[in-house]
Amino acid sequence: MSSVTRRLVATFATALVVLSAVVAPASAQPRTDALASDGSAPSDGSTPGGDPSPSLATFGIAPASPAGPDGRSYVVIGAAPGSVVTDDVAILNQSDFAVPLDVYASEATNAPDGTLALANRDGLTDAGTWVSLGASHVQVPAQSSAGIGYVVVPVTVRIPTDAVPGDHVAAVIASLTTSGSGGDNAPNLTFEQRVGARIYVTVTGDVVPGLAITGVHTSYDRGPWWGLLGRGRTTVSYTVENTGDMRVAVAVRARTAGPFGLLPRTAAGEPVAELLPRAKVPQTIVVDDVWPLLRSRVTLTGTAGVAPGGKATGLAPVVVATHLWTVPWAWLAGLVLLLVLVLVLLLVRRRRGRRSSGAAGRGGR
């Protein structure tokens, strides 16, 4: 295997994949897309409800030079507003037959789970509108003994003069669309396979990074028998927000502790590989084995790391703290019951003592 082929295989593992099924004619259901890290896009040539094809189409996309794929994982551009930057992408084909593909620009957003998602073709508002391509449709030749088949497509990025300084993420998409019957009394279906190469554009200027944790809400589950068996769990919900102009990787940890820091417990949230500028992602952390120590302190610590293809932000960890009542109601109820029993016993003994004293006094007369 040649060095170029090895780089292509590595690139297939870092490209973006979107698989989406769309009902045709247009349905009222919204279309959802998500970007993943696996760059292969296999297809058995079938559609939902249709017959499978014996062929398997596997295609991808990667940054390139005019001569072919160059081993980069993504395109990285740093330029001033008003700049025009050119680059290339290669549409790759690992199939034993030629594959016709559509090629178009898109841009990335953060999905609710924090992963990257692609905007619809007609919903571009940022970096996706800056990208123009040398072709909108390509016929990618089959792979051969010489290596993977590919077609190089020129990419031009025109940064507007009023572009906001900071990070912007576009993508070039290669798309294969097939159609099939949905079966009796069902609409026809269109199935689209998409792979994308990311384009990270950093517009120079006054760039300010920022990270915030907002909307913190806590609750405590005392477990079976209202905490009679001991430890419960604390659930912490919050929103992590990129308030700056730079992409950041975000990791959040939650810590709970009783009065004076007693019996601390920690848990980690789901990491966000890259949180885009002005994006917000809701998250939840569950901290197990929390003792009900009447009142607990809950601390969230968010750390900003380096996003793929990005730079260090220099941000200090973001710390947010709140308090939570973790009242051991079962133990308190047991304590109250014990005190009541003790009080009853004392009253009974006191009453018996009075009766005994009264009887002794009458007998002495």
mmCIF file of all heavy atoms in Angstrom, residues 295-329:
data_model
loop_
_atom_site.group_PDB
_atom_site.id
_atom_site.type_symbol
_atom_site.label_atom_id
_atom_site.label_comp_id
_atom_site.label_asym_id
_atom_site.label_seq_id
_atom_site.Cartn_x
_atom_site.Cartn_y
_atom_site.Cartn_z
ATOM 1 N N ARG A 295 -27.496 19.465 53.758
ATOM 2 C CA ARG A 295 -27.279 20.514 52.761
ATOM 3 C C ARG A 295 -25.937 20.274 52.084
ATOM 4 O O ARG A 295 -24.900 20.200 52.733
ATOM 5 C CB ARG A 295 -27.312 21.894 53.393
ATOM 6 C CG ARG A 295 -27.250 23.023 52.362
ATOM 7 C CD ARG A 295 -28.162 24.136 52.781
ATOM 8 N NE ARG A 295 -28.044 25.319 51.944
ATOM 9 C CZ ARG A 295 -28.826 25.582 50.916
ATOM 10 N NH1 ARG A 295 -29.760 24.715 50.560
ATOM 11 N NH2 ARG A 295 -28.704 26.701 50.236
ATOM 12 N N SER A 296 -25.992 20.160 50.745
ATOM 13 C CA SER A 296 -24.787 19.860 49.981
ATOM 14 C C SER A 296 -24.440 21.017 49.057
ATOM 15 O O SER A 296 -25.310 21.758 48.603
ATOM 16 C CB SER A 296 -24.983 18.584 49.158
ATOM 17 O OG SER A 296 -25.165 17.460 49.978
ATOM 18 N N ARG A 297 -23.167 21.147 48.791
ATOM 19 C CA ARG A 297 -22.681 22.132 47.837
ATOM 20 C C ARG A 297 -22.380 21.415 46.519
ATOM 21 O O ARG A 297 -21.678 20.392 46.501
ATOM 22 C CB ARG A 297 -21.418 22.813 48.357
ATOM 23 C CG ARG A 297 -20.815 23.846 47.394
ATOM 24 C CD ARG A 297 -19.530 24.415 47.995
ATOM 25 N NE ARG A 297 -18.835 25.308 47.076
ATOM 26 C CZ ARG A 297 -19.071 26.611 46.973
ATOM 27 N NH1 ARG A 297 -19.993 27.171 47.750
ATOM 28 N NH2 ARG A 297 -18.388 27.358 46.126
ATOM 29 N N VAL A 298 -22.907 21.940 45.419
ATOM 30 C CA VAL A 298 -22.696 21.374 44.087
ATOM 31 C C VAL A 298 -21.846 22.361 43.287
ATOM 32 O O VAL A 298 -22.204 23.533 43.138
ATOM 33 C CB VAL A 298 -24.029 21.114 43.368
ATOM 34 C CG1 VAL A 298 -23.774 20.532 41.980
ATOM 35 C CG2 VAL A 298 -24.899 20.168 44.190
ATOM 36 N N THR A 299 -20.716 21.887 42.782
ATOM 37 C CA THR A 299 -19.795 22.735 42.025
ATOM 38 C C THR A 299 -19.587 22.169 40.635
ATOM 39 O O THR A 299 -19.274 20.981 40.475
ATOM 40 C CB THR A 299 -18.434 22.838 42.730
ATOM 41 O OG1 THR A 299 -18.626 23.301 44.071
ATOM 42 C CG2 THR A 299 -17.523 23.801 41.990
ATOM 43 N N LEU A 300 -19.777 22.998 39.615
ATOM 44 C CA LEU A 300 -19.509 22.636 38.232
ATOM 45 C C LEU A 300 -18.250 23.352 37.774
ATOM 46 O O LEU A 300 -18.114 24.566 37.957
ATOM 47 C CB LEU A 300 -20.677 23.021 37.320
ATOM 48 C CG LEU A 300 -21.970 22.222 37.470
ATOM 49 C CD1 LEU A 300 -23.068 22.846 36.626
ATOM 50 C CD2 LEU A 300 -21.762 20.774 37.071
ATOM 51 N N THR A 301 -17.351 22.597 37.166
ATOM 52 C CA THR A 301 -16.116 23.174 36.638
ATOM 53 C C THR A 301 -16.013 22.847 35.155
ATOM 54 O O THR A 301 -15.964 21.672 34.777
ATOM 55 C CB THR A 301 -14.883 22.623 37.370
ATOM 56 O OG1 THR A 301 -15.012 22.891 38.766
ATOM 57 C CG2 THR A 301 -13.608 23.272 36.836
ATOM 58 N N GLY A 302 -16.014 23.885 34.323
ATOM 59 C CA GLY A 302 -15.906 23.712 32.878
ATOM 60 C C GLY A 302 -14.518 24.105 32.396
ATOM 61 O O GLY A 302 -14.029 25.196 32.704
ATOM 62 N N THR A 303 -13.897 23.209 31.646
ATOM 63 C CA THR A 303 -12.547 23.452 31.139
ATOM 64 C C THR A 303 -12.573 23.550 29.628
ATOM 65 O O THR A 303 -13.143 22.685 28.947
ATOM 66 C CB THR A 303 -11.594 22.322 31.561
ATOM 67 O OG1 THR A 303 -11.618 22.191 32.983
ATOM 68 C CG2 THR A 303 -10.177 22.606 31.100
ATOM 69 N N ALA A 304 -11.977 24.616 29.095
ATOM 70 C CA ALA A 304 -11.915 24.825 27.655
ATOM 71 C C ALA A 304 -10.620 24.245 27.110
ATOM 72 O O ALA A 304 -9.530 24.612 27.559
ATOM 73 C CB ALA A 304 -12.008 26.315 27.331
ATOM 74 N N GLY A 305 -10.756 23.336 26.136
ATOM 75 C CA GLY A 305 -9.589 22.747 25.490
ATOM 76 C C GLY A 305 -9.473 23.210 24.047
ATOM 77 O O GLY A 305 -10.195 24.105 23.597
ATOM 78 N N VAL A 306 -8.563 22.588 23.324
ATOM 79 C CA VAL A 306 -8.313 22.948 21.927
ATOM 80 C C VAL A 306 -9.213 22.113 21.027
ATOM 81 O O VAL A 306 -9.194 20.874 21.068
ATOM 82 C CB VAL A 306 -6.834 22.724 21.561
ATOM 83 C CG1 VAL A 306 -6.588 23.095 20.109
ATOM 84 C CG2 VAL A 306 -5.933 23.539 22.481
ATOM 85 N N ALA A 307 -10.002 22.786 20.199
ATOM 86 C CA ALA A 307 -10.863 22.096 19.246
ATOM 87 C C ALA A 307 -10.036 21.610 18.063
ATOM 88 O O ALA A 307 -8.936 22.119 17.810
ATOM 89 C CB ALA A 307 -11.970 23.040 18.762
ATOM 90 N N PRO A 308 -10.510 20.607 17.312
ATOM 91 C CA PRO A 308 -9.774 20.120 16.144
ATOM 92 C C PRO A 308 -9.432 21.253 15.183
ATOM 93 O O PRO A 308 -10.289 22.051 14.813
ATOM 94 C CB PRO A 308 -10.746 19.128 15.505
ATOM 95 C CG PRO A 308 -11.593 18.659 16.638
ATOM 96 C CD PRO A 308 -11.746 19.846 17.538
ATOM 97 N N GLY A 309 -8.179 21.341 14.811
ATOM 98 C CA GLY A 309 -7.747 22.378 13.897
ATOM 99 C C GLY A 309 -7.719 23.762 14.488
ATOM 100 O O GLY A 309 -7.487 24.743 13.775
ATOM 101 N N GLY A 310 -7.933 23.875 15.804
ATOM 102 C CA GLY A 310 -8.004 25.181 16.447
ATOM 103 C C GLY A 310 -6.766 25.500 17.256
ATOM 104 O O GLY A 310 -5.733 24.834 17.167
ATOM 105 N N LYS A 311 -6.868 26.535 18.071
ATOM 106 C CA LYS A 311 -5.766 26.998 18.901
ATOM 107 C C LYS A 311 -6.217 27.065 20.355
ATOM 108 O O LYS A 311 -7.414 27.113 20.647
ATOM 109 C CB LYS A 311 -5.289 28.382 18.445
ATOM 110 C CG LYS A 311 -4.742 28.412 17.019
ATOM 111 C CD LYS A 311 -4.304 29.822 16.640
ATOM 112 C CE LYS A 311 -3.755 29.864 15.225
ATOM 113 N NZ LYS A 311 -3.335 31.239 14.833
ATOM 114 N N ALA A 312 -5.251 27.080 21.251
ATOM 115 C CA ALA A 312 -5.549 27.213 22.671
ATOM 116 C C ALA A 312 -6.202 28.567 22.938
ATOM 117 O O ALA A 312 -5.789 29.589 22.385
ATOM 118 C CB ALA A 312 -4.274 27.059 23.493
ATOM 119 N N THR A 313 -7.219 28.550 23.787
ATOM 120 C CA THR A 313 -7.953 29.783 24.074
ATOM 121 C C THR A 313 -7.347 30.578 25.218
ATOM 122 O O THR A 313 -7.579 31.788 25.327
ATOM 123 C CB THR A 313 -9.405 29.457 24.426
ATOM 124 O OG1 THR A 313 -9.430 28.648 25.622
ATOM 125 C CG2 THR A 313 -10.076 28.686 23.298
ATOM 126 N N GLY A 314 -6.620 29.931 26.104
ATOM 127 C CA GLY A 314 -6.078 30.615 27.270
ATOM 128 C C GLY A 314 -7.113 30.883 28.345
ATOM 129 O O GLY A 314 -6.839 31.611 29.303
ATOM 130 N N LEU A 315 -8.293 30.299 28.206
ATOM 131 C CA LEU A 315 -9.355 30.538 29.182
ATOM 132 C C LEU A 315 -9.090 29.771 30.474
ATOM 133 O O LEU A 315 -8.691 28.604 30.459
ATOM 134 C CB LEU A 315 -10.706 30.110 28.612
ATOM 135 C CG LEU A 315 -11.309 30.974 27.509
ATOM 136 C CD1 LEU A 315 -12.543 30.293 26.919
ATOM 137 C CD2 LEU A 315 -11.682 32.349 28.050
ATOM 138 N N ALA A 316 -9.336 30.427 31.591
ATOM 139 C CA ALA A 316 -9.276 29.755 32.886
ATOM 140 C C ALA A 316 -10.535 28.916 33.052
ATOM 141 O O ALA A 316 -11.574 29.186 32.427
ATOM 142 C CB ALA A 316 -9.171 30.793 34.002
ATOM 143 N N PRO A 317 -10.484 27.864 33.864
ATOM 144 C CA PRO A 317 -11.687 27.057 34.098
ATOM 145 C C PRO A 317 -12.838 27.910 34.621
ATOM 146 O O PRO A 317 -12.640 28.849 35.398
ATOM 147 C CB PRO A 317 -11.221 26.042 35.146
ATOM 148 C CG PRO A 317 -9.743 25.937 34.939
ATOM 149 C CD PRO A 317 -9.299 27.318 34.555
ATOM 150 N N VAL A 318 -14.025 27.583 34.179
ATOM 151 C CA VAL A 318 -15.242 28.276 34.620
ATOM 152 C C VAL A 318 -15.840 27.478 35.771
ATOM 153 O O VAL A 318 -16.097 26.272 35.634
ATOM 154 C CB VAL A 318 -16.247 28.397 33.465
ATOM 155 C CG1 VAL A 318 -17.544 29.041 33.963
ATOM 156 C CG2 VAL A 318 -15.643 29.206 32.326
ATOM 157 N N VAL A 319 -16.060 28.122 36.906
ATOM 158 C CA VAL A 319 -16.573 27.445 38.096
ATOM 159 C C VAL A 319 -17.896 28.073 38.507
ATOM 160 O O VAL A 319 -17.995 29.292 38.670
ATOM 161 C CB VAL A 319 -15.563 27.525 39.255
ATOM 162 C CG1 VAL A 319 -16.117 26.811 40.491
ATOM 163 C CG2 VAL A 319 -14.223 26.924 38.856
ATOM 164 N N VAL A 320 -18.902 27.234 38.662
ATOM 165 C CA VAL A 320 -20.229 27.675 39.106
ATOM 166 C C VAL A 320 -20.643 26.785 40.273
ATOM 167 O O VAL A 320 -20.528 25.556 40.197
ATOM 168 C CB VAL A 320 -21.265 27.575 37.972
ATOM 169 C CG1 VAL A 320 -22.648 27.974 38.481
ATOM 170 C CG2 VAL A 320 -20.857 28.452 36.799
ATOM 171 N N ALA A 321 -21.105 27.391 41.350
ATOM 172 C CA ALA A 321 -21.479 26.627 42.540
ATOM 173 C C ALA A 321 -22.891 26.976 42.975
ATOM 174 O O ALA A 321 -23.359 28.111 42.809
ATOM 175 C CB ALA A 321 -20.489 26.884 43.676
ATOM 176 N N THR A 322 -23.564 25.994 43.552
ATOM 177 C CA THR A 322 -24.894 26.201 44.111
ATOM 178 C C THR A 322 -25.050 25.237 45.280
ATOM 179 O O THR A 322 -24.193 24.392 45.528
ATOM 180 C CB THR A 322 -25.988 25.974 43.061
ATOM 181 O OG1 THR A 322 -27.260 26.311 43.623
ATOM 182 C CG2 THR A 322 -26.021 24.526 42.602
ATOM 183 N N HIS A 323 -26.155 25.371 46.000
ATOM 184 C CA HIS A 323 -26.414 24.493 47.136
ATOM 185 C C HIS A 323 -27.704 23.707 46.913
ATOM 186 O O HIS A 323 -28.604 24.141 46.188
ATOM 187 C CB HIS A 323 -26.498 25.283 48.441
ATOM 188 C CG HIS A 323 -25.173 25.786 48.923
ATOM 189 N ND1 HIS A 323 -24.636 26.974 48.472
ATOM 190 C CD2 HIS A 323 -24.268 25.254 49.798
ATOM 191 C CE1 HIS A 323 -23.455 27.162 49.045
ATOM 192 N NE2 HIS A 323 -23.210 26.148 49.859
ATOM 193 N N LEU A 324 -27.753 22.561 47.572
ATOM 194 C CA LEU A 324 -28.880 21.650 47.385
ATOM 195 C C LEU A 324 -29.247 21.020 48.727
ATOM 196 O O LEU A 324 -28.364 20.579 49.480
ATOM 197 C CB LEU A 324 -28.483 20.557 46.376
ATOM 198 C CG LEU A 324 -29.437 19.389 46.196
ATOM 199 C CD1 LEU A 324 -30.710 19.856 45.498
ATOM 200 C CD2 LEU A 324 -28.764 18.276 45.383
ATOM 201 N N TRP A 325 -30.532 21.032 49.021
ATOM 202 C CA TRP A 325 -30.997 20.350 50.226
ATOM 203 C C TRP A 325 -31.006 18.849 49.969
ATOM 204 O O TRP A 325 -31.623 18.376 49.021
ATOM 205 C CB TRP A 325 -32.385 20.814 50.625
ATOM 206 C CG TRP A 325 -32.426 22.211 51.179
ATOM 207 C CD1 TRP A 325 -32.886 23.324 50.548
ATOM 208 C CD2 TRP A 325 -31.989 22.621 52.468
ATOM 209 N NE1 TRP A 325 -32.748 24.429 51.362
ATOM 210 C CE2 TRP A 325 -32.195 24.020 52.553
ATOM 211 C CE3 TRP A 325 -31.428 21.961 53.566
ATOM 212 C CZ2 TRP A 325 -31.877 24.752 53.692
ATOM 213 C CZ3 TRP A 325 -31.105 22.691 54.705
ATOM 214 C CH2 TRP A 325 -31.331 24.069 54.742
ATOM 215 N N THR A 326 -30.288 18.122 50.811
ATOM 216 C CA THR A 326 -30.278 16.652 50.736
ATOM 217 C C THR A 326 -30.709 16.131 52.102
ATOM 218 O O THR A 326 -29.934 15.499 52.830
ATOM 219 C CB THR A 326 -28.881 16.134 50.362
ATOM 220 O OG1 THR A 326 -27.912 16.674 51.274
ATOM 221 C CG2 THR A 326 -28.502 16.556 48.947
ATOM 222 N N VAL A 327 -31.943 16.420 52.427
ATOM 223 C CA VAL A 327 -32.462 16.099 53.763
ATOM 224 C C VAL A 327 -32.724 14.593 53.860
ATOM 225 O O VAL A 327 -33.446 14.030 53.030
ATOM 226 C CB VAL A 327 -33.762 16.871 54.039
ATOM 227 C CG1 VAL A 327 -34.283 16.540 55.425
ATOM 228 C CG2 VAL A 327 -33.516 18.371 53.881
ATOM 229 N N PRO A 328 -32.173 13.929 54.872
ATOM 230 C CA PRO A 328 -32.422 12.486 55.060
ATOM 231 C C PRO A 328 -33.756 12.269 55.774
ATOM 232 O O PRO A 328 -33.802 11.939 56.971
ATOM 233 C CB PRO A 328 -31.235 12.042 55.922
ATOM 234 C CG PRO A 328 -30.883 13.258 56.719
ATOM 235 C CD PRO A 328 -31.170 14.437 55.830
ATOM 236 N N TRP A 329 -34.840 12.451 55.044
ATOM 237 C CA TRP A 329 -36.159 12.428 55.663
ATOM 238 C C TRP A 329 -36.439 11.124 56.406
ATOM 239 O O TRP A 329 -37.056 11.128 57.475
ATOM 240 C CB TRP A 329 -37.232 12.668 54.607
ATOM 241 C CG TRP A 329 -37.201 14.036 54.010
ATOM 242 C CD1 TRP A 329 -36.883 14.381 52.739
ATOM 243 C CD2 TRP A 329 -37.506 15.262 54.682
ATOM 244 N NE1 TRP A 329 -36.951 15.734 52.568
ATOM 245 C CE2 TRP A 329 -37.341 16.313 53.743
ATOM 246 C CE3 TRP A 329 -37.889 15.584 56.001
ATOM 247 C CZ2 TRP A 329 -37.550 17.639 54.070
ATOM 248 C CZ3 TRP A 329 -38.106 16.911 56.322
ATOM 249 C CH2 TRP A 329 -37.927 17.924 55.367
#
